[in-house]
Amino acid sequence: MPAAARNTPDRTARFGFAFIGVLLIAVNLRVSFVSVGPVLGNISADLELSSAAAGFLTGLPLIAFAVFSPVAPGFAARLGLDRALWVSLLLLAAGIVLRSLPVPGFIWGGTALIGLAIAFLNVLVPSLVKRDFPRRVSQVTGSYTATQAAFAAVGAAVVVPVAQTSPAGWRLALGIWVGLALIALAVLLPWLRRHGAAAAHATAPQARFRSPWASALGWQVTVFMGLQSIAFYVLMAWLPTIEQSRGVPATTAGIHLSVFLLVSVFASLATGRILHRGPDQRLVAFSTSALMVVTFLGLALAPGLILLWVILGAIGCGGLIVIALSLFSLRTVNYPQAASLSGMAQSFGYGLGAAGPVIFGGLRDVSGEWTLPLLATAGVMAVLAGTGVLAGRDRVISGTERPGH
């Protein structure tokens, strides 16, 4: 009994430190690339970029996500999960610094390195949650998803004032985010030294697992991840433009985008708390997908209620990303398999996320109005709802075990 009493505080301390580590990684997952958009005009003017080149600069991280996500599980298998996460943060810090240096070409190399690092972190964090929080997957996922969204919103808000008040302009505004990466590296270094060898040893007996690439359930989770990403990236890319074309002032459209990001933070936290209230995740996956169907139908057919659709879309997107990321852990038998499914699903998902706004814009060009692309996206969200029912069943990729809650 005394030993158990001593072990309980130790376990609580380990849990707390691991949770802090997850949140420190989360604050770095979006802010360094979403902060580019508000100062893209400054960057284009300074570097004399064409519109196509500027668009490619903003899309380069998504391309890196799609290309490098499948590589992340092998990277973690070689280094160990903890070392792989720490090295990825180091690559992120290096990329942020390179992007901000006034050296020709460094902005492209730095941006690509940022995309590579975040691709690895995106894939490996669900594996970390599976390993360290097997019974609190949805709660921890909701917390770190909300954290990354909150810091992304802060980054988007402060980057322009920093660029306007500093002689270094946009370079300093983008470079300051290296501080978040350095804080995470410093805090996690002692944990890496203590925990790295044990974690690498623990991986060995779990190394064999069924590949999600050969599993119908793995593809259901992958399609769910991909289709939900279309909703988010279409709204991020086109919502302000849609609003302004319908007479909404640019300032109001910007406020609506801030409202979207803020509501999505609370939606992520709430989804993390309710995800395990039922016997499986079918109801919550279907319900949040249905919100996105309503959102896009509303934008197409009742544009006068724009703020309502913004709020419903934020609730839907904030919930869907938590469900998608949680499924990587809930549908797998161990954390190496979770990393494999995460790499598969995020590669496919970010590929669709990058293509979605382009196709949406193409449909707008063909039809000359917003109704067609909005209705088409609503149809895609209906498919998402059906996929959520399939992926939300209480199964794992092995085909026999039930996932831990």
Side-chain angles (χ1 to χ4, degrees):
M1 188 67 178
R6 287 194 302 270
N7 289 337
T8 299
D10 290 342
R11 287 196 299 268
T12 302
R14 288 196 299 270
F15 179 92
F17 195 93
F19 183 67
I20 291 171
V22 169
L23 295 186
L24 283 171
I25 294 170
V27 304
N28 288 280
L29 287 178
R30 280 190 188 173
V31 66
S32 60
F33 74 89
V34 301
S35 56
V36 172
V39 293
L40 186 59
N42 306 68
I43 296 172
S44 299
D46 189 21
L47 301 181
E48 299 181 347
L49 299 180
S50 65
S51 297
F56 182 69
L57 182 66
T58 59
L60 188 55
L62 282 179
I63 296 171
F65 297 167
V67 171
F68 292 110
S69 290
V71 181
F75 181 67
R78 284 180 174 271
L79 294 184
L81 180 57
D82 300 278
R83 291 189 182 93
L85 286 164
W86 198 87
V87 171
S88 297
L89 284 168
L90 184 62
L91 292 174
L92 176 63
I96 293 171
V97 171
L98 287 176
R99 182 180 63 180
S100 300
L101 292 176
V103 180
F106 272 28
I107 189 170
W108 298 101
T111 300
L113 192 57
I114 289 169
L116 167 65
I118 297 178
F120 282 6
L121 292 168
N122 278 335
V123 169
L124 298 179
V125 169
S127 180
L128 178 66
V129 172
K130 173 71 173 179
R131 188 193 71 187
D132 290 352
F133 311 97
R135 297 185 179 277
R136 303 189 184 188
V137 166
S138 60
Q139 296 95 324
V140 174
T141 301
S143 296
Y144 88 73
T145 302
T147 300
Q148 69 180 26
F151 273 82
V154 170
V158 306
V159 65
V160 172
V162 171
Q164 291 175 342
T165 57
S166 168
W170 63 267
R171 295 187 185 277
L172 177 64
L174 296 184
I176 57 175
W177 306 116
V178 72
L180 295 176
L182 293 176
I183 291 171
L185 285 167
V187 173
L188 294 176
L189 184 58
W191 173 260
L192 175 68
R193 288 174 173 170
R194 291 197 307 266
H195 195 250
H201 178 73
T203 303
Q206 303 185 62
R208 297 180 63 84
F209 56 84
R210 183 181 177 189
S211 171
W213 294 88
S215 163
L217 179 56
W219 280 105
Q220 289 159 9
V221 172
T222 295
V223 172
F224 184 83
M225 174 68 188
L227 296 183
Q228 68 83 28
S229 72
I230 288 177
F232 177 79
Y233 286 107
V234 163
L235 289 174
M236 288 296 97
W238 288 108
L239 182 60
T241 304
I242 293 171
E243 291 193 46
Q244 291 174 49
S245 72
R246 289 172 169 170
V248 177
T251 302
T252 304
I255 292 173
H256 286 173
L257 193 60
S258 298
V259 169
F260 182 98
L261 291 169
L262 181 63
V263 171
S264 69
V265 170
F266 292 101
S268 294
L269 290 171
T271 303
R273 289 186 173 274
I274 68 173
L275 200 56
H276 290 308
R277 292 293 176 87
D280 53 38
Q281 290 74 46
R282 287 178 294 180
L283 179 60
V284 67
F286 179 84
S287 300
T288 48
S289 301
L291 283 179
M292 300 315 302
V293 175
V294 173
T295 295
F296 285 103
L297 285 177
L299 289 171
L301 304 177
L305 301 174
I306 185 70
L307 185 57
L308 174 62
W309 313 133
V310 167
I311 293 173
L312 291 182
I315 295 171
C317 284
L320 284 168
I321 186 61
V322 173
I323 297 167
L325 294 175
S326 296
L327 290 176
F328 301 157
S329 297
L330 297 175
R331 298 297 171 261
T332 51
V333 296
N334 53 41
Y335 69 86
Q337 189 184 46
S340 182
L341 177 59
S342 179
M344 170 185 171
Q346 296 202 54
S347 175
F348 185 81
Y350 285 115
L352 283 182
V358 177
I359 297 172
F360 188 94
L363 291 175
R364 166 67 172 81
D365 291 339
V366 168
S367 65
E369 57 183 11
W370 297 109
T371 304
L372 176 61
L374 287 169
L375 291 178
T377 309
V380 173
M381 295 302 98
V383 177
L384 172 66
T387 307
V389 171
L390 295 174
R393 293 174 295 172
D394 190 17
R395 300 182 178 183
V396 292
I397 288 178
S398 67
T400 55
E401 297 96 331
R402 295 168 64 82
H405 289 238

